[in-house]
Amino acid sequence: FPSHDTPMKNTLRTIFILAFFLTTQLPAQVLINELKVNAPGNDDPYEFIEIRGTPNATLNNIYVCIIEGDSSNPGVLDRVFRINNKTLGSSGIMLFATSLGYQGIPDDCLFQDTLLFGISGGIIENGSNTFAVFFSPVPFVVGTDYDTTNDGTLELPPPLS
C-alpha cells in the first residue's frame, strides 16, 4: 500500500512516542543478588536478602517474596518485603538484614534494617523456599496460597498472571 504519511506526520508520531516513553515510569530492573538463609550456628541475626538494581533508581511496587516449598502448604507466601519509594545507592544494592548482625554497611548500599532478621531461630526456613522479586501494582499478602494446584507453577494476581 502506498504511504500517505507526510514528513510532518512522521515527526509528530516520533515526538508522541518519545514523549510517551519519557513520561511513563517503567519499573527499574531488580534481581536477587545474594541470600544467607542457613548461617552457621544460630541463624539469627545473620540471615539476609540482598537485591541489586539500577544504581540510584527509585523503587516502587517491588515485592521481595519468600514462598513456602516443603510443608503441607507449598506455594503459601511466608514473608514479603514491600519496597516503595526507596532509592538505591550508587552501588545499586539494597540489603535486608539487621544491624544486630551486620554493622558497617557501606554508604553506597541502601540498608533496610529490620529486626525481623533478629528473631530467635531466624525468619527464613532452612527447608525448601522460593525467593522471588515482583513488580506489581497489586500487593502480595502473607498467608496467601499462590500455587493452589500444588504443581510448582505460581498462580499470580492480574496483571502478573
Side-chain angles (χ1 to χ4, degrees), residues 48-107:
F48 68 81
I49 299 173
E50 180 183 277
I51 64 169
R52 177 181 294 273
T54 305
N56 304 309
T58 299
L59 305 180
N60 287 297
N61 295 320
I62 303 289
Y63 296 86
V64 178
C65 298
I66 304 173
I67 302 168
E68 176 63 53
D70 62 354
S71 73
S72 60
N73 295 315
V76 172
L77 184 61
D78 279 343
R79 297 275 180 204
V80 64
F81 300 94
R82 181 177 183 196
I83 306 171
N84 213 25
N85 202 26
K86 299 283 185 184
T87 301
L88 297 175
S90 60
S91 68
I93 297 289
M94 182 174 189
L95 178 65
F96 293 90
T98 176
S99 57
L100 299 173
Y102 297 96
Q103 296 89 33
I105 304 299
D107 291 338

Coordinates of all heavy atoms in Angstrom, one line a residue, residues 48-107:
F48 N 20.1 -12.8 55.7 CA 19.9 -11.5 54.9 C 19.4 -11.8 53.5 O 19.6 -13.0 53.0 CB 21.1 -10.6 54.9 CG 22.3 -11.2 54.1 CD1 22.3 -11.0 52.7 CD2 23.3 -11.8 54.7 CE1 23.4 -11.5 52.0 CE2 24.4 -12.2 54.0 CZ 24.4 -12.1 52.6
I49 N 18.8 -10.8 52.9 CA 18.5 -10.9 51.5 C 19.0 -9.6 50.9 O 18.8 -8.5 51.4 CB 16.9 -10.9 51.3 CG1 16.3 -12.1 51.9 CG2 16.6 -10.8 49.8 CD1 14.8 -12.2 51.9
E50 N 19.8 -9.8 49.8 CA 20.4 -8.6 49.1 C 19.8 -8.6 47.7 O 19.8 -9.6 47.0 CB 21.9 -8.8 49.1 CG 22.6 -7.7 48.4 CD 24.1 -7.9 48.3 OE1 24.8 -7.6 49.3 OE2 24.6 -8.4 47.3
I51 N 19.3 -7.4 47.3 CA 18.9 -7.3 45.9 C 19.8 -6.3 45.2 O 20.4 -5.5 45.8 CB 17.4 -6.8 45.8 CG1 17.2 -5.5 46.4 CG2 16.5 -7.9 46.4 CD1 15.8 -4.9 46.2
R52 N 19.8 -6.3 43.9 CA 20.6 -5.4 43.1 C 19.6 -4.8 42.0 O 18.8 -5.5 41.4 CB 21.7 -6.2 42.4 CG 22.5 -5.3 41.5 CD 23.7 -6.0 40.8 NE 24.7 -6.5 41.7 CZ 25.7 -5.8 42.1 NH1 25.9 -4.5 41.7 NH2 26.6 -6.2 43.0
G53 N 19.8 -3.6 41.8 CA 19.1 -2.9 40.7 C 19.9 -1.8 40.1 O 21.1 -1.7 40.3
T54 N 19.3 -1.0 39.3 CA 19.9 0.1 38.7 C 20.4 1.1 39.7 O 19.6 1.6 40.5 CB 19.0 0.8 37.7 OG1 18.5 -0.2 36.8 CG2 19.7 1.9 36.9
P55 N 21.7 1.5 39.7 CA 22.2 2.4 40.7 C 21.4 3.7 40.7 O 21.0 4.2 39.6 CB 23.6 2.7 40.3 CG 24.0 1.4 39.6 CD 22.8 1.0 38.9
N56 N 21.1 4.2 41.9 CA 20.3 5.5 42.1 C 18.9 5.5 41.6 O 18.2 6.5 41.6 CB 21.1 6.7 41.5 CG 22.5 6.8 42.1 OD1 22.7 6.8 43.3 ND2 23.5 6.8 41.2
A57 N 18.3 4.3 41.3 CA 17.0 4.2 40.8 C 16.0 4.2 42.1 O 16.3 3.7 43.1 CB 16.7 2.9 40.1
T58 N 14.9 4.8 41.9 CA 13.8 4.8 42.9 C 12.9 3.7 42.6 O 12.4 3.5 41.5 CB 13.1 6.2 42.9 OG1 14.0 7.2 43.2 CG2 12.0 6.1 44.0
L59 N 12.7 2.8 43.6 CA 11.9 1.6 43.5 C 10.5 1.8 44.1 O 10.4 2.4 45.2 CB 12.6 0.5 44.2 CG 14.0 0.1 43.7 CD1 14.5 -1.0 44.5 CD2 14.1 -0.1 42.3
N60 N 9.5 1.4 43.4 CA 8.1 1.4 43.8 C 7.4 0.2 43.4 O 7.7 -0.4 42.3 CB 7.4 2.6 43.2 CG 7.8 3.9 43.9 OD1 7.6 4.1 45.1 ND2 8.4 4.8 43.1
N61 N 6.5 -0.3 44.3 CA 5.7 -1.5 44.0 C 6.5 -2.7 43.7 O 6.2 -3.5 42.8 CB 4.7 -1.2 42.8 CG 3.7 -0.2 43.2 OD1 3.2 -0.2 44.3 ND2 3.4 0.7 42.2
I62 N 7.6 -2.9 44.4 CA 8.5 -4.0 44.3 C 8.3 -4.9 45.5 O 8.2 -4.4 46.6 CB 10.0 -3.6 44.2 CG1 10.3 -2.7 43.0 CG2 10.9 -4.9 44.1 CD1 10.2 -3.3 41.7
Y63 N 8.1 -6.2 45.3 CA 7.9 -7.1 46.4 C 8.9 -8.2 46.4 O 9.1 -8.9 45.4 CB 6.5 -7.8 46.3 CG 5.4 -6.7 46.4 CD1 5.0 -6.0 45.3 CD2 4.8 -6.5 47.6 CE1 4.0 -5.1 45.4 CE2 3.8 -5.5 47.8 CZ 3.4 -4.8 46.7 OH 2.4 -3.9 46.8
V64 N 9.7 -8.4 47.5 CA 10.6 -9.5 47.7 C 9.9 -10.5 48.5 O 9.4 -10.3 49.6 CB 11.9 -9.0 48.4 CG1 12.8 -10.2 48.6 CG2 12.6 -7.9 47.6
C65 N 9.6 -11.7 47.9 CA 8.8 -12.7 48.5 C 9.5 -14.0 48.8 O 10.4 -14.4 48.1 CB 7.7 -13.1 47.5 SG 6.6 -11.7 47.1
I66 N 9.1 -14.6 49.9 CA 9.6 -15.9 50.3 C 8.4 -16.8 50.4 O 7.5 -16.6 51.1 CB 10.3 -15.9 51.7 CG1 11.4 -14.9 51.7 CG2 10.8 -17.3 52.1 CD1 12.0 -14.6 53.1
I67 N 8.4 -17.8 49.5 CA 7.2 -18.7 49.3 C 7.6 -20.1 49.8 O 8.6 -20.7 49.5 CB 6.8 -18.7 47.8 CG1 6.5 -17.3 47.3 CG2 5.6 -19.6 47.6 CD1 6.4 -17.1 45.9
E68 N 6.7 -20.7 50.6 CA 6.9 -22.0 51.2 C 7.0 -23.0 50.1 O 6.3 -23.0 49.1 CB 5.6 -22.3 52.1 CG 5.6 -23.7 52.7 CD 6.8 -23.9 53.6 OE1 7.0 -23.1 54.5 OE2 7.5 -24.9 53.4
G69 N 7.9 -24.0 50.3 CA 8.1 -25.0 49.3 C 8.0 -26.5 49.8 O 7.9 -27.3 49.0
D70 N 8.1 -26.7 51.1 CA 8.2 -28.1 51.5 C 7.2 -28.5 52.6 O 7.4 -29.6 53.2 CB 9.6 -28.5 51.9 CG 10.1 -27.7 53.1 OD1 9.4 -26.8 53.6 OD2 11.2 -28.0 53.5
S71 N 6.2 -27.8 52.9 CA 5.3 -28.2 54.0 C 4.1 -28.7 53.4 O 4.0 -29.0 52.2 CB 5.0 -27.0 54.9 OG 4.1 -26.1 54.3
S72 N 3.0 -28.9 54.2 CA 1.7 -29.3 53.7 C 1.1 -28.1 52.9 O 0.0 -28.3 52.4 CB 0.8 -29.8 54.8 OG 0.6 -28.7 55.7
N73 N 1.7 -26.9 52.9 CA 1.2 -25.8 52.2 C 2.2 -25.2 51.2 O 2.5 -24.0 51.3 CB 0.8 -24.7 53.3 CG -0.3 -25.1 54.2 OD1 -1.3 -25.7 53.7 ND2 -0.2 -24.9 55.5
P74 N 2.6 -25.9 50.3 CA 3.6 -25.3 49.3 C 2.8 -24.2 48.5 O 1.7 -24.4 48.2 CB 4.0 -26.5 48.4 CG 2.9 -27.5 48.5 CD 2.3 -27.3 49.9
G75 N 3.6 -23.2 48.2 CA 3.0 -22.1 47.5 C 2.5 -21.0 48.3 O 2.1 -19.9 47.8
V76 N 2.4 -21.2 49.6 CA 1.9 -20.1 50.6 C 3.0 -19.1 50.8 O 4.2 -19.4 51.1 CB 1.4 -20.7 51.9 CG1 1.1 -19.7 52.9 CG2 0.2 -21.6 51.6
L77 N 2.7 -17.8 50.7 CA 3.6 -16.8 50.9 C 3.9 -16.6 52.4 O 3.1 -16.3 53.2 CB 3.0 -15.4 50.4 CG 4.0 -14.2 50.5 CD1 5.2 -14.5 49.6 CD2 3.2 -13.0 50.0
D78 N 5.2 -16.9 52.8 CA 5.7 -16.9 54.2 C 6.0 -15.5 54.6 O 5.7 -15.0 55.7 CB 6.9 -17.8 54.4 CG 6.6 -19.2 54.5 OD1 5.4 -19.6 54.8 OD2 7.5 -20.0 54.3
R79 N 6.8 -14.7 53.8 CA 7.3 -13.4 54.1 C 7.2 -12.5 52.8 O 7.4 -13.0 51.7 CB 8.7 -13.4 54.6 CG 8.9 -14.1 55.9 CD 8.6 -13.3 57.1 NE 8.9 -14.0 58.3 CZ 8.3 -13.8 59.4 NH1 7.5 -12.7 59.5 NH2 8.5 -14.5 60.4
V80 N 7.0 -11.3 53.0 CA 7.0 -10.3 51.9 C 7.6 -9.0 52.4 O 7.3 -8.6 53.5 CB 5.7 -10.1 51.2 CG1 4.7 -9.5 52.2 CG2 5.8 -9.3 50.0
F81 N 8.5 -8.5 51.6 CA 9.1 -7.2 51.9 C 8.7 -6.2 50.8 O 9.1 -6.5 49.6 CB 10.6 -7.2 52.0 CG 11.1 -8.2 53.1 CD1 11.4 -9.5 52.8 CD2 11.2 -7.7 54.4 CE1 11.8 -10.3 53.8 CE2 11.7 -8.5 55.4 CZ 12.0 -9.9 55.1
R82 N 7.9 -5.3 51.1 CA 7.4 -4.3 50.0 C 8.5 -3.2 50.0 O 8.8 -2.6 51.0 CB 6.1 -3.8 50.4 CG 5.6 -2.8 49.3 CD 4.2 -2.3 49.6 NE 3.8 -1.5 48.4 CZ 2.8 -0.6 48.5 NH1 2.1 -0.5 49.6 NH2 2.5 0.1 47.4
I83 N 8.8 -2.8 48.8 CA 9.7 -1.7 48.5 C 9.0 -0.6 47.8 O 8.5 -0.9 46.7 CB 11.0 -2.1 47.7 CG1 11.7 -3.4 48.3 CG2 11.9 -1.0 47.6 CD1 12.7 -4.0 47.5
N84 N 8.8 0.5 48.5 CA 8.1 1.6 47.9 C 8.8 2.9 48.3 O 9.1 3.1 49.4 CB 6.6 1.6 48.5 CG 5.6 2.1 47.4 OD1 5.9 2.0 46.2 ND2 4.5 2.6 47.9
N85 N 9.0 3.7 47.3 CA 9.6 5.0 47.4 C 11.0 4.9 48.1 O 11.3 5.7 49.0 CB 8.7 6.0 48.2 CG 9.1 7.4 47.9 OD1 9.6 7.7 46.9 ND2 8.8 8.3 48.9
K86 N 11.8 3.9 47.7 CA 13.2 3.7 48.2 C 14.1 4.0 47.0 O 13.9 3.4 45.9 CB 13.4 2.3 48.8 CG 12.5 2.0 49.9 CD 13.0 2.7 51.2 CE 12.2 2.2 52.4 NZ 12.5 2.9 53.6
T87 N 15.2 4.7 47.3 CA 16.2 5.0 46.2 C 17.4 4.2 46.5 O 18.0 4.4 47.6 CB 16.4 6.5 46.1 OG1 15.2 7.2 45.8 CG2 17.5 6.8 45.0
L88 N 17.9 3.4 45.5 CA 19.1 2.7 45.7 C 20.3 3.6 45.7 O 20.2 4.7 45.1 CB 19.2 1.7 44.5 CG 18.2 0.6 44.4 CD1 18.4 -0.2 43.2 CD2 18.2 -0.3 45.6
G89 N 21.3 3.2 46.4 CA 22.6 4.0 46.4 C 23.4 3.8 45.1 O 22.9 3.1 44.2
S90 N 24.5 4.3 45.1 CA 25.4 4.3 43.8 C 25.8 2.9 43.5 O 26.2 2.6 42.4 CB 26.6 5.2 44.0 OG 27.4 4.8 45.1
S91 N 25.8 1.9 44.4 CA 26.1 0.5 44.1 C 25.0 -0.2 43.5 O 25.2 -1.3 43.0 CB 26.6 -0.2 45.4 OG 25.5 -0.4 46.3
G92 N 23.8 0.3 43.7 CA 22.6 -0.5 43.2 C 22.2 -1.6 44.1 O 21.3 -2.4 43.8
I93 N 22.7 -1.7 45.3 CA 22.5 -2.7 46.3 C 21.5 -2.3 47.4 O 21.6 -1.2 47.9 CB 23.8 -3.2 46.9 CG1 24.7 -3.8 45.9 CG2 23.5 -4.2 48.1 CD1 24.3 -5.1 45.3
M94 N 20.6 -3.2 47.7 CA 19.7 -3.0 48.9 C 19.8 -4.2 49.7 O 19.7 -5.3 49.2 CB 18.3 -2.7 48.5 CG 17.3 -2.5 49.6 SD 15.7 -2.0 49.1 CE 14.9 -1.5 50.6
L95 N 20.1 -4.0 51.0 CA 20.3 -5.2 51.9 C 19.2 -5.2 53.0 O 19.0 -4.2 53.7 CB 21.7 -5.0 52.6 CG 22.0 -6.1 53.6 CD1 22.2 -7.5 52.9 CD2 23.3 -5.7 54.3
F96 N 18.5 -6.3 53.0 CA 17.5 -6.5 54.1 C 18.2 -7.4 55.1 O 18.5 -8.6 54.9 CB 16.3 -7.3 53.6 CG 15.4 -6.5 52.6 CD1 15.7 -6.6 51.3 CD2 14.4 -5.7 53.1 CE1 14.9 -5.9 50.4 CE2 13.6 -5.0 52.2 CZ 13.9 -5.1 50.8
A97 N 18.5 -6.8 56.3 CA 19.2 -7.5 57.4 C 18.9 -6.8 58.7 O 18.1 -5.9 58.7 CB 20.7 -7.6 57.1
T98 N 19.6 -7.2 59.7 CA 19.5 -6.4 61.0 C 20.9 -6.0 61.4 O 21.9 -6.6 61.2 CB 18.9 -7.3 62.1 OG1 18.9 -6.5 63.3 CG2 19.6 -8.6 62.3
S99 N 20.9 -4.8 62.0 CA 22.1 -4.2 62.5 C 22.7 -5.0 63.7 O 23.8 -4.9 64.1 CB 22.0 -2.8 62.9 OG 21.0 -2.6 63.8
L100 N 21.8 -5.9 64.2 CA 22.3 -6.8 65.3 C 23.4 -7.8 64.8 O 24.2 -8.3 65.5 CB 21.1 -7.6 65.9 CG 20.0 -6.8 66.5 CD1 18.9 -7.7 66.9 CD2 20.5 -6.1 67.7
G101 N 23.3 -8.1 63.5 CA 24.3 -9.0 62.9 C 25.3 -8.3 61.9 O 26.3 -8.9 61.7
Y102 N 24.9 -7.2 61.4 CA 25.7 -6.5 60.4 C 25.8 -5.1 60.7 O 24.9 -4.3 60.7 CB 25.1 -6.7 59.0 CG 25.0 -8.2 58.6 CD1 23.9 -8.9 58.7 CD2 26.1 -8.8 58.0 CE1 23.8 -10.3 58.4 CE2 26.1 -10.1 57.7 CZ 25.0 -10.9 57.9 OH 24.9 -12.2 57.5
Q103 N 27.1 -4.6 60.9 CA 27.4 -3.2 61.1 C 28.3 -2.8 60.0 O 28.9 -3.6 59.3 CB 28.0 -3.0 62.5 CG 27.1 -3.3 63.6 CD 27.2 -4.7 64.1 OE1 28.3 -5.3 64.0 NE2 26.1 -5.3 64.6
G104 N 28.5 -1.5 59.9 CA 29.5 -1.0 58.9 C 29.1 -1.2 57.5 O 29.9 -1.5 56.6
I105 N 27.8 -1.2 57.2 CA 27.3 -1.3 55.8 C 27.8 -0.1 55.0 O 27.7 1.0 55.4 CB 25.8 -1.4 55.7 CG1 25.3 -2.5 56.6 CG2 25.3 -1.6 54.3 CD1 25.7 -3.9 56.3
P106 N 28.4 -0.3 53.8 CA 28.9 0.8 53.0 C 27.8 1.8 52.7 O 26.7 1.5 52.5 CB 29.5 0.2 51.8 CG 29.7 -1.3 52.1 CD 28.7 -1.6 53.2
D107 N 28.2 3.1 52.6 CA 27.2 4.2 52.4 C 26.6 4.0 51.0 O 25.5 4.5 50.8 CB 27.9 5.5 52.4 CG 28.3 5.9 53.9 OD1 27.7 5.3 54.8 OD2 29.2 6.7 54.1

